[in-house]
Amino acid sequence: MLISLAMSLAGAATAALPVVAADLDCAKMLEIRRPAGAPRPIEATDLIETLDIGSNGGMESDPVFTLSPDRSRLAVAVRRADGKSNSYCSGIYIVSQDGQASLIDAGPGVAFWRYDNFFGTRGFPTGVTKVITPLWASNGESLAFLKLINDRLQLWRWDVGGHSRPVAAAEDDIVDFHFGPDGKSLVYKQRADGPPTEELNQEALRGYRLDERFFPFASRAPYPRGVASYRFYNVNLDGSARRTATQAEIAAFANDRSAALRKGATMVDVKADAEGMSRIHMLIGTAEQFCRSASCTDIEGQPWVTQSGHIRFVRREGWDRSLAAIYEWKGGDTDPDRLFQTSDLLMGCVPIDDDVLCVRENATRPRYIDRISLQDGKSRPIFEPNPDHAKIVHGRVERLQWTNAMGISSFGDLVYPPTFQPSRRYPLIITQYESRGFLRGGTGDEFPIQLFAKAGYLVLNIERPQSPVSAKQLAPLERQRRENADFSARRNILSTIETKVLELIDAGLVDPDRIGITGLSDGSTTTQFAALHSQMFKAASISGCCWEPSQTWLLGTAIQQHYQSIGWPASPEASSAIWSQMSLSRNASRVAFPILMQAADGELYPTLEAVRALRAANSPVDVYVFPDELHIKRQPTHRLNVYRRNLRWFDFWLMDKMPADGIEREEASRWAQMRRDWVQRPIHLPTSD
């Protein structure tokens, strides 16, 4: 058992996903679903089964799409989850500039990103999908891409007018590649984890030594020590001959893929100036120049050089950096000119003629590829993966801006029920902690915002406010240490939420007796803090949990040492002041609201201390554990059931609704018993010790 576990940890990050149904037709599943019929209410599958492009997390900066050399076509990888078969399909689309899209490859499965270096070990999984970036040959006649086959990423090639076929199928994942300088070969980067895996297998027979390789909260086996290692090979386009890559071919992986960064003698990048501020930086020959304007900071993605030698770039600006804008800088001491601004999320923008192609999304529109004219600001979609969403009824979304009690600005989106009536007060659900782009299910995608709205809730989705530690040029660890002092960062977030909720109550929109809060990861931490520091919320649902004394041994030596360095206790007995402010187990009788936990089995152990104490105190808590899951849940059927249980939980506690029959009614009957057993005591909010 331990040997097979060690192998799965060192292997592809998709190993734990369920077997794909043999009859799954991926070509059909990846078809673009056109709008049909009359507008209809949204369903859970509309959110789970979108045709997605790019990653579901910000772990990589690789391009989502690439343009052909003649700029007439783009290539983009897609994926779709399927709730019925609990599986995925992935594929590649070729799209012309007039929007004609052709699926040129399709197959089962999806690749997930894993750490090259996780506290001195490698291969730690995340549940975040890996970005698959197709690359064009210099003549535009073929395309190369990574494809998942039998839980391994292989290198494939497609020729115009032909079919896709494998070029290299290694014993471990191929994670990156580029065309050789002659255009007749491909150079690829392959994980080289075989020998360390064998070492772990041999160690398993003798017994693993408990050391810094262990993260007990996630695994009963160690991870391989050291950062990920790679091998590099050159292979002919037909896969007939392979050799070890040269140093020059290997060095090419360090070069940026975007030729737009350089135009003639002009090169542009983003670089820290003498004060440590990241700015637009231009190099003409050997002459270096920074753009000193405030509009040349907060850059998103890569800047580029226009045909006329000017610099264009995307930046965040406006209230709490909630807007995206495109600027042009002509060099020298001039201020850049703003060419375009939007509240939509823009990603991976690249120039095409005098326009720009961007991955784009907004609160009610899933991700798509848009061509934006920088002359008049008009745009037209080039690739619209989910046109069927135009016929789905979404609740109206209102962008809100405010300042919390600590004087820190933030923003969020208020989503109204489709049948909203101004004369009524509504129950409210808080979701966290990003509010730029498509409002699917909050960070981690577990709390279905539009499904809540459809069920009659107002939903306030919060963007995490900027740090209350305003000092510049602080080392990251020192900033975290200051944020943890007296939980200033957590108080800042809670104040942001409470300030806006009180405004909504005063405006007559929200029923103060029916407010729920949700969260995953950082959002779960805020919810845990609110359970001991707020009387506003009546129910909560979280994913992973909790910050407890047991974390000092559950996290493992490496992570625990990191947390000690930013102010967390060294042992369960130390720093009672911190546990009195944060621990649910030490304060179980004071927890202010019922809590639903829907945990990945890979994060079960950290919940147990709090759950035992809450149950002993008759404080309502229910826990569901999803097998073969990680920090971000991957399995589509799990995510559907997480969605639906979250809705039932809030329906019970905030609307006093009981399901009619079946397993769902049995589930709610347990919640009803919890409510009868719950002895609510007055909440005495803790003060700093």
Side-chain angles (χ1 to χ4, degrees):
M1 177 65 180
L2 290 179
I3 294 176
S4 63
L5 178 58
M7 292 178 67
S8 71
L9 293 177
T14 54
L17 284 177
V19 176
V20 177
D23 59 349
L24 192 64
D25 185 346
C26 282
K28 183 174 181 59
M29 185 169 154
L30 294 176
E31 288 178 352
I32 295 173
R33 298 172 180 173
R34 304 295 175 183
R40 61 173 179 82
I42 195 166
E43 302 294 339
T45 51
D46 294 321
L47 299 174
I48 296 291
E49 297 181 358
T50 53
L51 188 61
D52 289 319
I53 61 176
S55 178
N56 63 342
M59 309 301 286
E60 298 175 277
S61 58
D62 289 345
V64 173
F65 66 91
T66 52
L67 282 169
S68 61
D70 65 0
R71 323 293 274 181
S72 66
R73 295 162 294 166
L74 63 84
V76 60
V78 300
R79 68 183 181 278
R80 194 192 299 277
D82 181 60
K84 290 182 179 179
S85 63
N86 196 26
S87 57
Y88 289 85
C89 285
S90 300
I92 304 291
Y93 267 96
I94 302 291
V95 188
S96 63
Q97 286 299 323
D98 63 2
Q100 296 298 311
S102 300
L103 183 68
I104 58 100
D105 188 83
V110 66
F112 290 91
W113 187 89
R114 51 183 170 152
Y115 283 95
D116 276 358
N117 183 0
F118 185 78
F119 292 94
T121 68
R122 61 186 175 277
F124 195 91
T126 63
V128 173
T129 50
K130 177 176 173 56
V131 176
I132 301 296
T133 304
L135 292 183
W136 294 88
S138 58
N139 61 8
E141 294 299 313
S142 64
L143 187 78
F145 55 92
L146 299 179
K147 181 174 181 176
L148 193 72
I149 301 291
N150 297 326
D151 293 335
R152 288 290 184 269
L153 282 170
Q154 299 181 357
L155 181 58
W156 281 54
R157 171 174 155 244
W158 170 82
D159 293 322
V160 173
H163 299 285
S164 56
R165 58 187 182 275
V167 176
E171 59 273 19
D172 208 337
D173 285 336
I174 297 173
V175 298
D176 201 0
F177 66 94
H178 62 78
F179 278 91
D182 59 1
K184 299 178 181 179
S185 63
L186 286 159
V187 183
Y188 65 88
K189 179 180 178 181
Q190 172 194 327
R191 290 188 71 102
D193 289 342
T197 301
E198 181 59 31
E199 290 175 12
L200 284 179
N201 291 341
Q202 293 300 316
E203 185 183 356
L205 300 175
R206 304 187 304 271
Y208 296 125
R209 182 175 185 272
L210 183 62
D211 55 23
E212 71 280 357
R213 300 170 300 162
F214 273 85
F215 307 106
F217 75 95
S219 172
R220 291 174 294 171
Y223 285 79
R225 182 182 280 113
V227 300
S229 58
Y230 294 95
R231 300 188 184 98
F232 298 84
Y233 296 98
N234 179 296
V235 63
N236 290 353
L237 292 183
D238 61 5
S240 61
R242 187 185 82 163
R243 62 170 172 79
T244 300
T246 66
Q247 287 302 311
E249 290 169 337
I250 295 172
F253 282 98
N255 299 331
D256 196 289
R257 285 174 170 167
S258 176
L261 289 177
R262 181 183 293 275
K263 187 73 66 175
T266 303
M267 188 180 76
V268 61
D269 60 4
V270 180
K271 185 177 179 180
D273 62 14
E275 289 76 38
M277 176 68 72
S278 292
R279 295 180 175 277
I280 292 292
H281 169 256
M282 181 168 61
L283 197 65
I284 303 178
T286 58
E288 181 182 56
Q289 186 178 32
F290 281 98
C291 175
R292 295 296 175 184
S293 169
S295 297
C296 287
T297 60
D298 288 319
I299 309 301
E300 293 270 287
Q302 295 282 8
W304 63 93
V305 185
T306 68
Q307 292 289 343
S308 58
H310 300 159
I311 309 302
R312 287 180 176 173
F313 55 91
V314 181
R315 73 180 301 263
R316 290 180 63 173
E317 63 183 19
W319 184 276
D320 199 33
R321 303 167 67 243
S322 59
L323 304 176
I326 301 175
Y327 279 78
E328 181 176 87
W329 179 48
K330 297 181 174 65
D333 295 329
T334 62
D335 286 333
D337 298 316
R338 182 195 294 149
L339 306 179
F340 180 77
Q341 187 186 67
T342 179
S343 60
D344 290 0
L345 176 64
L346 300 181
M347 300 167 50
C349 297
V350 298
I352 179 166
D353 300 328
D354 202 38
D355 298 343
V356 65
L357 281 177
C358 297
V359 177
R360 189 172 184 176
E361 59 184 281
N362 62 37
T364 58
R365 188 173 183 178
R367 196 171 290 175
Y368 64 105
I369 299 174
D370 203 26
R371 180 166 181 160
I372 303 169
S373 168
L374 298 180
Q375 300 302 312
D376 57 16
K378 295 180 180 178
S379 68
R380 60 182 176 90
I382 298 298
F383 182 55
E384 180 70 84
N386 299 283
D388 55 326
H389 269 251
K391 287 286 188 177
I392 295 173
V393 177
H394 296 88
R396 178 171 66 89
V397 180
E398 180 183 3
R399 173 59 56 86
L400 303 177
Q401 302 170 347
W402 68 98
T403 302
N404 69 15
M406 299 172 69
I408 295 175
S409 62
S410 189
F411 69 94
D413 290 295
L414 183 64
V415 184
Y416 291 80
T419 56
F420 175 74
Q421 299 174 17
S423 58
R424 286 184 52 193
R425 285 187 181 268
Y426 284 83
L428 174 71
I429 296 175
I430 304 296
T431 54
Q432 305 179 70
Y433 49 93
E434 297 165 301
S435 208
R436 299 174 69 231
F438 184 52
L439 299 182
R440 190 192 306 248
T443 300
D445 189 23
E446 297 203 6
F447 311 100
I449 292 170
Q450 286 289 346
L451 290 182
F452 288 156
K454 173 188 171 184
Y457 295 91
L458 282 169
V459 184
L460 179 60
N461 191 67
I462 299 290
E463 177 81 7
R464 191 183 196 273
Q466 295 187 48
S467 170
V469 180
S470 58
K472 296 180 180 179
Q473 295 182 306
L474 279 179
L477 287 180
E478 176 60 19
R479 182 176 297 277
Q480 291 180 64
R481 191 190 66 76
R482 295 190 189 186
E483 289 175 344
N484 283 337
D486 195 30
F487 293 97
S488 65
R490 213 49 54 188
R491 296 181 192 280
N492 178 41
I493 299 169
L494 183 57
S495 175
T496 293
I497 295 170
E498 290 186 328
T499 298
K500 178 48 66 177
V501 172
L502 288 173
E503 291 178 4
L504 295 175
I505 292 171
D506 290 344
L509 291 171
V510 169
D511 182 344
D513 294 323
R514 296 189 294 166
I515 300 172
I517 186 170
T518 68
L520 174 144
S521 194
D522 187 80
S524 175
T525 303
T526 296
T527 302
Q528 180 178 348
F529 188 75
L532 300 176
H533 294 265
S534 178
Q535 299 185 60
M536 176 171 283
F537 309 104
K538 309 306 177 185
S541 177
I542 55 179
S543 181
C545 183
C546 303
W547 293 94
E548 297 292 341
S550 57
Q551 75 187 46
T552 57
W553 48 269
L554 275 174
L555 293 175
T557 302
I559 300 180
Q560 173 57 21
Q561 287 176 347
H562 166 73
Y563 280 121
Q564 281 180 235
S565 71
I566 58 175
W568 285 92
S571 71
E573 294 76 27
S575 300
S576 61
I578 286 182
W579 301 130
S580 69
Q581 296 279 317
M582 192 66 177
S583 168
L584 299 184
S585 66
R586 298 282 178 94
N587 301 279
S589 63
R590 294 196 298 103
V591 169
F593 42 70
I595 301 175
L596 172 66
M597 302 180 190
Q598 302 203 74
D601 61 343
E603 296 186 338
L604 171 62
Y605 289 170
T607 71
L608 298 181
E609 184 177 8
V611 170
R612 183 209 63 81
L614 291 170
R615 286 176 172 170
N618 283 331
S619 184
V621 61
D622 209 2
V623 183
Y624 292 83
V625 183
F626 290 84
D628 295 329
E629 287 292 9
L630 304 168
H631 191 61
I632 304 296
K633 294 181 179 67
R634 304 169 296 171
Q635 298 187 44
T637 306
H638 286 173
R639 291 167 56 211
L640 279 169
N641 283 305
V642 166
Y643 273 9
R644 290 164 176 160
R645 184 174 289 114
N646 277 327
L647 181 56
R648 293 195 300 271
W649 176 260
F650 286 114
D651 277 352
F652 176 82
W653 291 101
L654 301 185
M655 291 201 181
D656 204 25
K657 289 183 178 179
M658 288 284 289
D661 51 32
I663 294 175
E664 291 81 5
R665 186 169 181 86
E666 292 179 15
E667 180 180 73
S669 295
R670 290 195 297 272
W671 301 340
Q673 186 61 50
M674 292 177 191
R675 182 163 55 189
R676 288 190 292 271
D677 294 340
W678 188 20
V679 179
Q680 287 186 285
R681 298 174 175 84
I683 300 172
H684 302 291
L685 300 183
T687 58
S688 302
D689 291 352

